[in-house]
Amino acid sequence: MEEDSDLYSLSFRILFSAFFLCLISLNSYGQVGFPYCETFGGSTTQSATIYGADAVLVSGVLRLTSNETGQRGYVYVDIPFSSLFGIKASFEYFSYGGTGADGLTFFLFDAAVPNFAIGGFGGSLGYSKRGNEPGLAGAYLGIGFDEYGNFGNTSEGKSGGFPGVGDGLAPDAIVVRGPGNGFLGYDFIMGKRTMEDGVNGLPINQQFPISSGGTGTSRITTPNQAGYRKVFINLEPNPNDVGYLLTLEMEVTTEPNNPRLVTIFDKIPYQFSAPDNLKVGFSASTGGSTNFHEIKNLIVEVSNDEGLLDPEGVDFSDIASCEGQENTYFITDEEVVLPNPNSVIRCLQFYKSLDDIEEESSDICSQGKCREENRELVLDQGIFRAGDVGGDFTFFPFEGFTGQTVTVFYTITDSYGKTSEGNSMTLLIQESPEPVSVFPEGAAELKELVRLCPEETFTLEARGEEVYERFEWYKDGELLAGEEDAILTLDSEGEYYAVVYNRKNCPSVSNIVKIEYPEFPEPVLRLPVVGCVPGEPVDGRTGILNFDLNAFDYQLSDGVNTWVNEEIEELFQSGIYELRLKHKDLSCFSEPFPFEIVILERELLADFEFEVQGTGIQNDEDGGIFSDDILQFMDLSDDRAIEWFWDFGDGSFSSEKNPTHVFGKKGDFEITLTITDEYGCQKSVSKLLSITKSYRIMVPNAFTPNDSENQYFTPKYKGLVCVELLVFNLWGDLIFRSEELNGQGWDGKLEGKLLDAGWFVFRFNAVSVDGEKIVKTGKFKLVR
């Protein structure tokens, strides 16, 4: 046998893990590539089966739409399937229980599209463009099972349809639309109307409706029951052209106990070059009419399975392993034979002997999957476990078998579901060293985290209970070249650990020490910090919105004095300061941040006056203020004010400097003016305004009908909403009456004739704006 160190020079790559070590990061799917089987029968789907919008798992199916209007749902398999050998798919669908709309699609799209984006719903069934809605992103093929009849016409901006249909409906149809992206493409390629005969229809004895039943019907899952539907799609590579030969068959039951296979398309050329990889999905929708749309038992396979070859493994021998710890290995794609283009190792399976290797099951869904019972193999010497995906596996040798070998047999399965015949691997079990731990140099206690200031160095030391032959240091899983001593001095952040080896070249892996060089904390500042009362201190903490004494220390300086942490609470001087911060557990402060403090030297003054606009009237002594008077307010405040806020005390406000306001009612109102300066300092002042009068009436004692002025007798008034003027002669006879608001009054005439000069009596009835009833009476003279 070669020297122990040579055991690690094999092309078979070995990685050791202890406690935490995981140096290979892989995406993990329950199933990768062909075949892909999704029953939708449980409470969850595989992690790569993504559904959304109105789609839900229910009663053993994926329900894309419920029996309601305006529904839309989709599902797709987020795994790329190679297009090289074609794609074959089968699924059951259930369309029932409604008035028949709209339908569902099976679609394929380019796996290289970075973000899945479904197409327009309604008659576009989630595949094609629809008006101002783009179609399925990276669409390659859409097969619509159309109940209502809009997927096979040109309505809503779709490209092409059944000949002669135009925007009209083409119900009960299976329609193929071509590639598209955004608002381009999605052309009508071909279609069959399943309830009509002729060139675009089916023979009468093969016809069937897309939906299995109308309003009130239920899901049909048994092939012998009328209403059952199952679809078989085969995209076989076209040997004479680009694209595929499309075959679509359906198992259909329209009469009890009489299921039949109906061929819809038979090797029809689909002449569009396929992307390297495709993804599979479904979508469905309802509009003003309805149906349940559901699917189950999806199987996606390679179409040209005969064109595929089985992979070939190789025998591995003299692989080293170390007892008492989990050894991690990885068989690379290059170390085995993967004859199928672009294929990779999907999984490994382990067996005690070649005779134990099982024949591949005839069940397509069991092919290409690591059977759970073969993912782990327990032997007397230890345990083999296959990884979730790819060629990784682990071996945990039990103690007591040092110096012995163990041989197992394995198969590899590729991403097309093809499996090798079986090969052997032999592992030598060697003695493991005593555990090793990494400490800060000279320290007695372990530390999981060390935080450092910029440009600060730190030293780690690997220690254990024996003399080790070799040391390796790793940062973030990468070997640090040239670091081969028990001590490591570092100056950059990362996760560090040591791997030490004994004379048998078996490793022991240390604990991880995380080194951080945290960025300096950056304050969120709201400046300046303003003191609005002269002579009183301000709290500098209010200018630091993310102030946190539990996490950080603060230092504020004016060049002469320094305030630290709580001392920032009382600052008496205006000026530009410098603010520095540091993490609580570190000694280094950040670079300075300018920090401005402003304390007013004199207090703001607020004042104002008011009057009836243009009159100088301010109170009852000046003649009184009426409820409908326009009040002018005049700011007399400090000239530092830049904002004004008036509260008129009646629920009304203004931000003008000199506003006007009409109160419209009597009462006492407290008027408050609040001014604000450029720093946000405020000052308020309040004054009382009394409105004691709601109306005014002045009655003349004479009038002169024959003069050019004063021709009519009428009271002058304001603040009234309703009036009645009555004029009587001295004997009490009514000679004039008017209810006209703001009318001319009496012209001195009775029945068109001007009366003689003399005295007359008036009565004036009125209602004020605030509802007060008023009666005034008296005499006046007619002068000729």
Side-chain angles (χ1 to χ4, degrees):
M1 183 179 292
E2 298 177 339
E3 294 292 322
D4 292 332
S5 60
D6 291 339
L7 291 172
Y8 295 89
S9 64
L10 298 171
S11 61
F12 195 106
R13 182 182 177 195
I14 178 171
L15 299 171
F16 295 95
S17 68
F19 307 115
F20 58 86
L21 185 60
C22 182
L23 302 181
I24 300 175
S25 174
L26 295 168
N27 291 325
S28 175
Y29 293 120
Q31 186 178 19
V32 177
F34 298 104
Y36 192 88
C37 300
E38 181 66 83
T39 67
F40 299 108
S43 59
T44 61
T45 60
Q46 299 178 62
S47 60
T49 303
I50 311 298
Y51 58 90
D54 294 317
V56 293
L57 281 173
V58 58
S59 312
V61 299
L62 180 69
R63 177 170 291 169
L64 295 169
T65 76
S66 61
N67 188 17
E68 300 175 33
T69 60
Q71 290 275 297
R72 52 188 62 193
Y74 66 84
V75 61
Y76 68 98
V77 178
D78 196 19
I79 289 178
F81 297 98
S82 173
S83 63
L84 189 61
F85 292 92
I87 290 179
K88 184 165 56 175
S90 64
F91 58 91
E92 294 172 277
Y93 81 78
F94 314 98
S95 174
Y96 64 93
T99 53
D102 273 301
L104 75 155
T105 56
F106 167 87
F107 57 73
L108 299 171
F109 64 100
D110 189 349
V113 170
N115 296 304
F116 174 79
I118 198 66
F121 281 98
S124 295
L125 302 184
Y127 182 78
S128 179
K129 57 193 173 183
R130 180 194 184 205
N132 60 359
E133 299 175 39
L136 176 72
Y140 176 69
L141 167 75
I143 301 177
F145 298 83
D146 184 14
E147 302 145 13
Y148 191 71
N150 273 327
F151 197 64
N153 64 19
T154 59
S155 68
E156 299 175 321
K158 293 187 291 296
S159 299
F162 284 106
V165 170
D167 288 346
L169 295 178
D172 288 307
I174 298 174
V175 173
V176 178
R177 287 191 174 271
N181 197 42
F183 293 97
L184 300 176
Y186 313 98
D187 296 340
F188 177 94
I189 305 300
M190 64 186 92
K192 287 288 184 180
R193 302 185 68 168
T194 64
M195 291 297 289
E196 294 188 7
D197 55 11
V199 64
N200 293 316
L202 297 175
I204 294 176
N205 64 347
Q206 295 183 14
Q207 292 177 5
F208 63 93
I210 297 298
S211 176
S212 65
T215 303
T217 57
S218 58
R219 181 188 311 139
I220 303 299
T221 60
T222 303
N224 282 329
Q225 285 186 273
Y228 180 77
R229 307 284 186 268
K230 184 172 183 178
V231 179
F232 303 90
I233 297 171
N234 190 1
L235 288 167
E236 176 186 347
N238 190 336
N240 302 315
D241 203 346
V242 298
Y244 300 104
L245 299 177
L246 170 62
T247 297
L248 192 155
E249 297 175 304
M250 287 185 63
E251 185 177 353
V252 174
T253 307
T254 54
E255 298 175 356
N257 301 312
N258 186 27
R260 49 200 170 88
L261 190 67
V262 177
T263 299
I264 309 299
F265 305 115
D266 186 12
K267 293 189 176 183
I268 304 299
Y270 187 77
Q271 296 170 304
F272 299 96
S273 296
D276 291 341
N277 295 287
L278 294 165
K279 291 182 180 179
V280 175
F282 295 83
S283 58
S285 59
T286 66
S289 299
T290 64
N291 253 348
F292 290 104
H293 296 101
E294 302 164 343
I295 57 171
K296 69 179 294 187
N297 292 332
L298 169 66
I299 300 175
V300 183
E301 309 172 56
V302 176
S303 173
N304 183 21
D305 187 68
E306 295 78 7
L308 297 173
L309 300 174
D310 290 335
E312 298 176 17
V314 295
D315 294 332
F316 294 104
S317 61
D318 290 336
I319 304 169
S321 65
C322 301
E323 69 172 1
Q325 59 179 286
E326 190 167 77
N327 302 264
T328 301
Y329 306 86
F330 191 79
I331 302 175
T332 67
D333 294 345
E334 292 75 24
E335 290 169 317
V336 295
V337 178
L338 298 171
N340 300 315
N342 302 320
S343 65
V344 296
I345 297 175
R346 175 186 291 175
C347 60
L348 303 177
Q349 298 181 94
F350 290 103
Y351 305 88
K352 289 183 179 180
S353 68
L354 287 174
D355 292 338
D356 290 340
I357 296 176
E358 302 173 19
E359 289 292 328
E360 188 174 85
S361 169
S362 60
D363 178 6
I364 187 65
C365 289
S366 70
Q367 298 175 19
K369 296 174 66 176
C370 278
R371 299 180 182 91
E372 289 299 322
E373 63 270 23
N374 299 327
R375 290 167 59 84
E376 179 178 284
L377 178 62
V378 180
L379 304 175
D380 292 340
Q381 300 94 331
I383 302 174
F384 286 85
R385 289 190 180 92
D388 288 334
V389 65
D392 64 309
F393 70 96
T394 62
F395 175 52
F396 190 99
F398 299 140
E399 294 184 1
F401 293 92
T402 300
Q404 298 185 27
T405 60
V406 57
T407 299
V408 295
F409 297 86
Y410 74 97
T411 61
I412 57 175
T413 301
D414 72 5
S415 50
Y416 290 92
K418 293 297 183 180
T419 301
S420 66
E421 293 183 352
N423 293 88
S424 67
M425 61 173 67
T426 300
L427 291 87
L428 172 65
I429 301 173
Q430 302 188 136
E431 180 183 4
S432 293
E434 292 294 323
V436 65
S437 298
V438 169
F439 297 83
E441 185 181 26
E445 295 183 359
L446 298 173
K447 293 192 73 171
E448 294 183 358
L449 174 65
V450 176
R451 288 159 54 91
L452 302 172
C453 288
E455 301 180 2
E456 188 176 357
T457 60
F458 195 78
T459 302
L460 296 175
E461 181 180 4
R463 293 186 232 146
E465 298 300 321
E466 67 173 90
V467 176
Y468 303 107
E469 295 287 317
R470 182 161 58 93
F471 293 85
E472 292 178 348
W473 287 93
Y474 289 82
K475 173 189 174 184
D476 298 330
E478 297 292 331
L479 177 67
L480 296 175
E483 300 292 347
E484 300 174 352
D485 298 326
I487 291 177
L488 173 70
T489 299
L490 55 91
D491 60 2
S492 61
E493 66 180 13
E495 293 187 343
Y496 293 84
Y497 59 89
V499 179
V500 299
Y501 295 85
N502 62 9
R503 60 187 181 84
K504 290 292 186 180
N505 216 25
C506 277
S508 177
V509 184
S510 77
N511 55 298
I512 289 177
V513 178
K514 186 175 183 179
I515 303 296
E516 286 186 353
Y517 286 84
E519 294 183 1
F520 284 112
E522 185 167 340
V524 179
L525 301 178
R526 181 174 59 194
L527 300 174
V529 177
V530 177
C532 297
V533 181
E536 291 190 5
V538 297
D539 187 348
R541 298 173 302 176
T542 62
I544 308 171
L545 299 184
N546 57 342
F547 188 85
D548 183 358
L549 271 182
N550 292 321
F552 310 118
D553 287 324
Y554 301 84
Q555 185 184 87
L556 194 66
S557 174
D558 64 0
V560 177
N561 302 302
T562 299
W563 295 262
V564 177
N565 292 342
E566 294 89 346
E567 298 173 353
I568 299 173
E569 184 178 350
E570 285 195 339
L571 302 170
F572 287 88
Q573 295 294 326
S574 297
I576 303 296
Y577 294 69
E578 288 187 340
L579 174 68
R580 291 176 171 83
L581 296 81
K582 76 174 185 66
H583 293 279
K584 208 80 174 176
D585 59 332
L586 299 179
S587 60
C588 45
F589 277 93
S590 68
E591 292 297 316
F593 297 88
F595 195 87
E596 184 180 7
I597 294 175
V598 175
I599 301 176
L600 297 189
E601 296 180 358
R602 56 187 177 89
E603 190 174 2
L604 278 177
L605 295 176
D607 193 15
F608 66 91
E609 287 183 352
F610 58 85
E611 66 172 29
V612 177
Q613 189 178 50
T615 67
I617 297 174
Q618 296 180 322
N619 49 46
D620 285 349
E621 295 176 2
D622 300 329
I625 301 173
F626 288 81
S627 57
D628 60 349
D629 282 336
I630 299 175
L631 274 296
Q632 175 72 60
F633 294 87
M634 295 155 287
D635 172 56
L636 302 176
S637 302
D638 201 306
D639 59 7
R640 289 172 290 170
I642 61 171
E643 293 180 5
W644 298 263
F645 181 77
W646 297 84
D647 182 347
F648 295 118
D650 64 347
S652 299
F653 309 95
S654 176
S655 59
E656 297 180 16
K657 182 177 182 182
N658 298 303
T660 60
H661 186 60
V662 176
F663 288 84
K665 58 184 176 181
K666 293 188 296 185
D668 293 329
F669 303 93
E670 185 177 37
I671 314 301
T672 300
L673 168 63
T674 301
I675 62 170
T676 305
D677 72 359
E678 63 176 314
Y679 299 113
C681 292
Q682 294 185 330
K683 189 70 174 181
S684 298
V685 62
S686 298
K687 294 185 178 182
L688 187 64
L689 183 152
S690 295
I691 298 178
T692 59
K693 300 181 182 295
S694 61
Y695 67 93
R696 179 187 294 124
I697 302 174
M698 295 182 295
V699 183
N701 57 11
F703 77 113
T704 55
N706 288 329
D707 289 347
S708 59
E709 296 180 1
N710 198 26
Q711 292 179 321
Y712 297 91
F713 171 78
T714 185
K716 303 296 184 184
Y717 53 83
K718 66 179 299 184
L720 302 181
V721 296
C722 181
V723 299
E724 180 185 36
L725 175 60
L726 303 170
V727 178
F728 304 87
N729 61 23
L730 295 178
W731 294 275
D733 297 323
L734 178 65
I735 59 176
F736 178 79
R737 180 180 180 275
S738 173
E739 293 182 350
E740 184 179 1
L741 195 63
N742 297 318
Q744 287 184 325
W746 183 43
D747 60 2
K749 297 178 180 179
L750 179 62
E751 297 179 354
K753 181 179 179 182
L754 183 63
L755 298 181
D756 293 335
W759 290 93
F760 295 85
V761 177
F762 74 88
R763 178 184 175 94
F764 189 66
N765 302 317
V767 178
S768 69
V769 292
D770 59 357
E772 181 181 348
K773 294 181 179 180
I774 306 157
V775 178
K776 282 188 174 294
T777 61
K779 287 181 171 184
F780 68 94
K781 191 174 184 179
L782 187 154
V783 180
R784 293 186 68 173

